[in-house]
Amino acid sequence: MVALAAACDSGGTDHAEPAAEPGRAKIVAALHDLISVDRLPGAQVVRTEHGKAWTATAGVGDLERGTPFQDNARVRIASNTKTFVATVMLQLAAEGKVELDAPVERYLPGVVHGPGIDGNRITIRNLLQHTSGIPEYAAEFGTTPKPGQIDTHDERIRWGRTDIAEVVRNALTAPADFEPGARWTYSNTNYALAGMVLEKITGFSIGAEITHRIIDRLGLPDTYYPDADEVDIRGPHPRGYARIDGKLVDYTEQNVTSAGAAGAMVSSGADLNRFLNALLGGELLPPAQLEEMKRTVPLGIEGQSASYGLGLLANPLSCGTVGWGHGGDIDGFETRGGATDDGRAVTVSVNQVPESGETTGHLNAIVDLALCAGS
C-alpha cells in the first residue's frame, strides 16, 4: 500500500504498485480534486483490467470519524440496478419466456393504462430503453413532486416500505410524455414495470432472480438486493450524505423499496467491474441478446454524445472506443463507471450526490481517463 496523504491535503490511499498502472497518477489526482475542488466528502475509484484491480480513495467515508472509504466498500448503486434487471429480462428472452417487442399488456394485463398510455402499444423494449413515454414516478432531488410523483425525502418513504405497484398506479394517472418509440426520456417507472413483468413471468421476486441468475453465478461477494424492510447497508461501507434544506444530512440508512427494480441494489466497485466485464464478455447473455442490449438510441439531449440500449449506456471515450455501463444517484451516493469490450472496467463512487452537473462531469471524466489509460 502506498500512502498518498502527504501528496494531497484531503488524504487517501492507493492500493497499487507505484508504477503498475498506466495513467494511475492522473486518475488519483483527479479523484482528489473531487474533494478539494468539488467539496465532496469522499471518493473511491476501482479500476480493473483482465481481472486485476487496483483501488484508490480520497477524502473521508465518515465525516464524524474522519475515516476513509474501506476496501471493497459497499455503496448504494441506485440506477446501476437497471443493468442487472435488463440482463435478467434478456436471459428470459433467450429462454423464450418473454418477447422484447411484445406489448406489456401481454404480461401485465390491465396495468399499463392512463391518459395517452396504452399497454397494448408499449413494448418490453420500450420499457428497457426508456422510449415508452411513461411518466416518471419519483420527483428529482430538491424539486416539488408533480401529480402522480412521490417525494423521496418524505420521512415515511425514507423509513417505511413502499408499495411500488401503488406508486406505479399513481404515476400512470399523469399524461404520457410522448408516443411510444417517438423519443428517449429517462423514467424510473419503466423499470418499476419491468420488475413487475419479471416477477409475473418467473413467480419469484426481482431480488431473488438477480441473486440466482447473476450474483451467485458470478460470485459477487459484495452485491445484493436489499430485503423489503432493510434500512442499513450490510458489511463495510462509507456513510452517505445528502444536502436537504441547505444542511448536510447523514442519509446512509433508508428503506429503498421506493427505488425497487429501478435502483435498490448495493454493490462495490470491484463487483460492479466484474459484472460489467462478465456481461460484455458473454458470460451472462448469448450473443444475440447481448447485441440487442447494445442496440442504442440517441438521448436527444444537447451536448450529450451518449446513447442508450437496453439498460446500458454507450459513452464514446476520448481514446476512440466506447464505454458501456450505467451510473446511479440515490440520496447519499453517486456511482459512475463503465467497461470496454477488451476487458477494462472502472467504477467511481462518492458518498454525496453532487449538487451540480459540473461535478458529475468530473466523475465521468475520471471514468474516461481510467478506461483510456494505456490504450
Side-chain angles (χ1 to χ4, degrees), residues 236-262:
H237 62 274
R239 307 302 296 174
Y241 301 94
R243 193 167 297 280
I244 301 174
D245 298 328
K247 297 180 180 179
L248 198 62
V249 177
D250 187 330
Y251 222 86
T252 312
E253 287 78 31
Q254 55 184 295
N255 185 296
V256 291
T257 48
S258 63

Side-chain angles (χ1 to χ4, degrees), residues 31-344:
L31 190 74
H32 281 271
D33 283 345
L34 294 176
I35 313 306
S36 60
V37 177
D38 294 299
R39 316 308 296 177
L40 293 174
Q44 182 184 72
V45 61
V46 182
R47 185 182 188 274
T48 305
E49 184 164 9
H50 303 301
K52 183 179 180 181
W54 66 268
T55 301
T57 65
V60 296
D62 188 319
L63 287 171
E64 182 179 350
R65 294 177 173 82
T67 52
F69 273 58
Q70 304 95 326
D71 291 346
N72 296 321
R74 298 175 179 183
V75 298
R76 300 194 189 278
I77 63 171
S79 287
N80 290 285
T81 302
K82 293 179 173 68
T83 311
F84 287 81
V85 171
T87 300
V88 172
M89 188 74 82
L90 285 158
Q91 289 175 341
L92 292 175
E95 295 165 12
K97 296 176 181 176
V98 64
E99 293 181 26
L100 295 177
D101 294 309
V104 179
E105 181 71 15
R106 177 186 299 180
Y107 306 101
L108 297 176
V111 173
V112 182
H113 59 85
I117 302 168
D118 183 355
N120 289 294
R121 299 172 56 235
I122 296 169
T123 66
I124 299 299
R125 186 187 302 275
N126 290 147
L127 296 182
L128 298 181
Q129 201 169 53
H130 295 298
T131 55
S132 69
I134 291 174
E136 172 62 65
Y137 76 74
E140 294 183 9
F141 297 110
T143 64
T144 302
K146 298 176 182 178
Q149 290 186 336
I150 61 171
D151 180 1
T152 55
H153 286 166
D154 187 315
E155 288 294 290
R156 293 168 297 180
I157 290 176
R158 178 179 179 181
W159 298 112
R161 185 189 297 196
T162 297
D163 181 348
I164 201 67
E166 180 181 0
V167 167
V168 167
R169 283 194 296 271
N170 290 336
L172 296 179
T173 63
D177 291 334
F178 51 85
E179 287 290 305
R183 58 187 176 90
W184 182 94
T185 293
Y186 196 84
S187 173
N188 286 296
T189 316
N190 287 316
Y191 274 78
L193 285 164
M196 292 167 66
V197 170
L198 290 178
E199 292 183 341
K200 187 69 174 290
I201 291 171
T202 66
F204 296 99
S205 71
I206 183 62
E209 286 298 309
I210 288 172
T211 300
H212 168 67
R213 291 173 171 269
I214 301 175
I215 298 173
D216 289 348
R217 184 170 172 179
L218 296 180
L220 304 178
D222 302 312
T223 304
Y224 67 93
Y225 192 102
D227 295 333
D229 293 318
E230 203 166 358
V231 297
D232 296 317
I233 298 176
R234 307 172 199 168
H237 62 274
R239 307 302 296 174
Y241 301 94
R243 193 167 297 280
I244 301 174
D245 298 328
K247 297 180 180 179
L248 198 62
V249 177
D250 187 330
Y251 222 86
T252 312
E253 287 78 31
Q254 55 184 295
N255 185 296
V256 291
T257 48
S258 63
M265 289 180 66
V266 170
S267 190
S268 65
D271 273 9
L272 275 180
N273 290 354
R274 167 72 177 119
F275 165 62
L276 285 175
N277 278 334
L279 178 61
L280 297 178
E283 294 182 51
L284 295 172
L285 293 175
Q289 280 66 45
L290 183 58
E291 183 179 349
E292 290 284 358
M293 197 175 203
K294 296 170 76 174
R295 285 175 55 191
T296 64
V297 296
L299 303 189
I301 301 173
E302 186 176 353
Q304 288 275 2
S305 57
S307 56
Y308 201 93
L310 304 184
L312 198 62
L313 271 165
N315 287 292
L317 301 175
S318 60
C319 49
T321 187
V322 174
W324 297 95
H326 206 283
D329 304 339
I330 192 169
D331 278 314
F333 301 96
E334 178 170 277
T335 54
R336 289 290 180 268
T340 59
D341 287 319
D342 60 357
R344 282 167 288 161

